[in-house]
């Protein structure tokens, strides 16, 4: 039976608050599972919805754990996933679960795959990037502009603190663009599928919290120079801030957005060695 039909039969009402925009095209759904690199193993899905992506994932994974916050979807999922024996649905708000408990449900290493609402994108992504112990990749269907920001290169308008924080520990690729009409109901924006492959040792960073602080401060005032941002953020005098830049072989008038990720790593190391906090 068609998903739209099942939703109607159960008098399902879309809840704006939960950012419900479902994908129904089987071909697209199985391509998202392929984009995510799922080939056996465990998948953690956030936001099962009507279970369309869950089902596509269950075909190529050994095991799928899927969270869904909307209790009204429970009986619909029982119908749409009746044949999927390797799926475990957890009814609840994933943000209210401790990372250790989420990861315990997955067992060992897992891939995170989700078509998530806009409001939750950054907190959810950063939570798994920062706290996830066993996550190997994160594939998200998100607003196109956010995907472009995550995958952007230095000296572009999209390049910012979140870009550097994520690219410091992961490789980021946009695998496909999804026009809004592909969703039911259609949202007001286009989406993209972004794949984030975690490589915690991509750079030699031993204090990730401090690294993210350096990045945040460097981008705090976008129109100001890096020297200015370092002066304000770390309470430094101009001479010290300029000396730090010189040690990194950076021009005194450069801006944070011009720095490649490896330059931020260098800046972080210089600050750390000077015991600047
Ligand atoms: N994966 C489905 C649904 C996408 S819509 C598909 O591709 O069609 C996003 C889903 O995430 C909705 O069903 C919404 O209820 C759910 N959701 C939103 N916030 C959530 C949260 N904090 N925890 C768990 N599920 C959430």
């Amino acid at each position: 039976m068609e998903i739209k039909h099942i939703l109607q039969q159960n008098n399902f009402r879309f809840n704006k608050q939960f950012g419900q925009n479902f994908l129904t095209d089987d071909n697209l759904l199985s391509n998202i599972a392929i984009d995510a690199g799922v080939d056996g193993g465990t998948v953690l899905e956030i936001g099962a919805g009507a279970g369309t992506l869950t089902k596509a994932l269950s075909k190529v994974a050994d095991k799928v754990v899927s969270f869904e916050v909307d209790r009204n979807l429970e009986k619909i999922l029982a119908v749409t996933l009746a044949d999927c024996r390797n799926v475990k649905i957890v009814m609840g708000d994933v943000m209210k679960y401790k990372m250790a408990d989420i990861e315990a449900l997955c067992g060992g290493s897992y891939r995170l795959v989700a078509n998530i609402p806009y409001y939750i994108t950054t907190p959810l992504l950063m939570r798994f990037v920062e706290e996830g112990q066993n996550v190997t990749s994160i594939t998200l269907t998100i607003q196109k502009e956010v995907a472009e920001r995550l995958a952007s290169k230095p000296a572009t308008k999209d390049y910012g603190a979140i870009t550097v924080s994520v690219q410091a520990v992961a490789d980021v690729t946009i695998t496909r663009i999804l026009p809004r009409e592909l969703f039911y109901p259609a949202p007001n924006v286009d989406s993209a599928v972004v794949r984030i492959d975690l490589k915690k040792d991509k750079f030699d960073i031993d204090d990730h919290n401090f690294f993210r602080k350096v990045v945040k401060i460097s981008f705090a005032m976008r129109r100001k120079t890096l020297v200015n941002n370092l002066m304000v953020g770390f309470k430094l005098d101009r001479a010290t801030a300029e000396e730090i830049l010189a040690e990194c072989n950076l021009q005194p008038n450069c801006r944070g957005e011009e720095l490649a990720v490896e330059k931020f790593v260098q800046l972080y190391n210089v600050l750390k060695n000077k015991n600047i906090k």
Side-chain angles (χ1 to χ4, degrees), residues 12 15 17-24 29 45-54 67-70 73 90 92-96 114-117 119-120 124 183:
F12 178 73
N15 190 328
Q17 183 204 331
F18 293 140
Q20 293 173 335
N21 302 98
F22 297 167
L23 288 170
T24 56
L29 289 157
E45 189 196 12
I46 312 291
T52 52
L53 180 58
T54 323
F67 280 77
E68 176 51 59
V69 69
D70 186 353
L73 285 164
V90 183
D93 179 347
V94 72
M95 298 307 270
K96 296 199 172 131
N115 166 17
I116 46 168
Y119 71 90
I120 201 184
L124 185 92
F183 295 84

Side-chain angles (χ1 to χ4, degrees), residues 1-8 22-24 50-52 80 184:
M1 210 193 308
E2 236 215 299
I3 288 294
K4 291 175 190 173
H5 197 120
I6 298 174
L7 292 171
Q8 274 160 17
F22 297 167
L23 288 170
T24 56
T52 52
T80 57
Y184 174 69

Side-chain angles (χ1 to χ4, degrees), residues 48-84:
T52 52
L53 180 58
T54 323
K55 192 171 187 170
L57 293 166
S58 91
K59 287 182 185 157
V60 286
D62 292 331
K63 170 177 155 185
V64 180
V65 176
S66 186
F67 280 77
E68 176 51 59
V69 69
D70 186 353
R71 297 240 154 238
N72 293 326
L73 285 164
E74 193 166 14
K75 58 181 192 293
I76 290 163
L77 286 165
V79 176
T80 57
L81 299 175
D83 298 335
C84 304

Side-chain angles (χ1 to χ4, degrees), residues 31-255:
N31 279 328
I32 293 175
I34 293 168
D35 286 359
V38 180
D39 184 12
T42 301
V43 174
L44 171 65
E45 189 196 12
I46 312 291
T52 52
L53 180 58
T54 323
K55 192 171 187 170
L57 293 166
S58 91
K59 287 182 185 157
V60 286
D62 292 331
K63 170 177 155 185
V64 180
V65 176
S66 186
F67 280 77
E68 176 51 59
V69 69
D70 186 353
R71 297 240 154 238
N72 293 326
L73 285 164
E74 193 166 14
K75 58 181 192 293
I76 290 163
L77 286 165
V79 176
T80 57
L81 299 175
D83 298 335
C84 304
R85 306 205 169 272
N86 58 350
V87 174
K88 180 178 172 50
I89 298 289
V90 183
M91 295 305 303
D93 179 347
V94 72
M95 298 307 270
K96 296 199 172 131
Y97 280 72
K98 290 199 193 86
M99 184 57 72
D101 293 339
I102 298 170
E103 297 206 322
L105 287 165
C106 295
S109 70
Y110 63 95
R111 294 183 187 274
L112 172 61
V113 184
N115 166 17
I116 46 168
Y118 175 62
Y119 71 90
I120 201 184
T121 307
T122 308
L124 185 92
L125 172 61
M126 289 320 288
R127 203 168 157 220
F128 279 88
V129 166
E130 290 171 20
E131 294 174 43
Q133 296 294 314
N134 301 326
V135 60
T136 58
S137 71
I138 303 175
T139 302
L140 303 175
T141 300
I142 52 178
Q143 189 179 344
K144 185 167 157 260
E145 284 72 20
V146 181
E148 284 168 348
R149 204 177 302 153
L150 292 171
S152 66
K153 302 243 170 347
T156 61
K157 70 166 172 31
D158 288 336
Y159 191 71
I162 190 161
T163 319
V164 179
S165 297
V166 173
Q167 290 187 13
V169 291
D171 293 341
V172 183
T173 344
I174 292 179
T175 62
R176 66 186 68 231
I177 305 293
L178 307 186
R180 63 196 77 182
E181 304 78 46
L182 292 174
F183 295 84
Y184 174 69
N188 297 324
V189 293
D190 296 326
S191 289
V193 178
V194 65
R195 173 165 164 178
I196 298 161
D197 282 289
L198 288 154
K199 298 193 170 147
K200 292 252 153 100
D201 300 328
K202 191 172 168 185
F203 296 102
D204 197 4
I205 301 170
D206 53 13
D207 183 349
H208 286 278
N209 283 328
F210 184 59
F211 179 78
R212 283 189 289 268
K213 180 177 176 179
V214 172
V215 172
K216 209 171 157 191
I217 284 174
S218 303
F219 283 99
M221 296 173 290
R222 260 195 104 94
R223 307 172 71 117
K224 302 268 178 175
T225 62
L226 184 55
V227 162
N228 265 302
N229 278 320
L230 293 180
M231 284 169 64
V232 174
F234 288 110
K235 301 189 174 60
L236 303 173
D237 56 50
R238 180 169 295 275
T240 311
E242 283 180 348
E243 187 187 308
I244 290 164
L245 259 61
E247 277 187 50
C248 299
N249 296 316
L250 288 165
Q251 297 299 319
N253 59 349
C254 74
R255 286 162 203 280

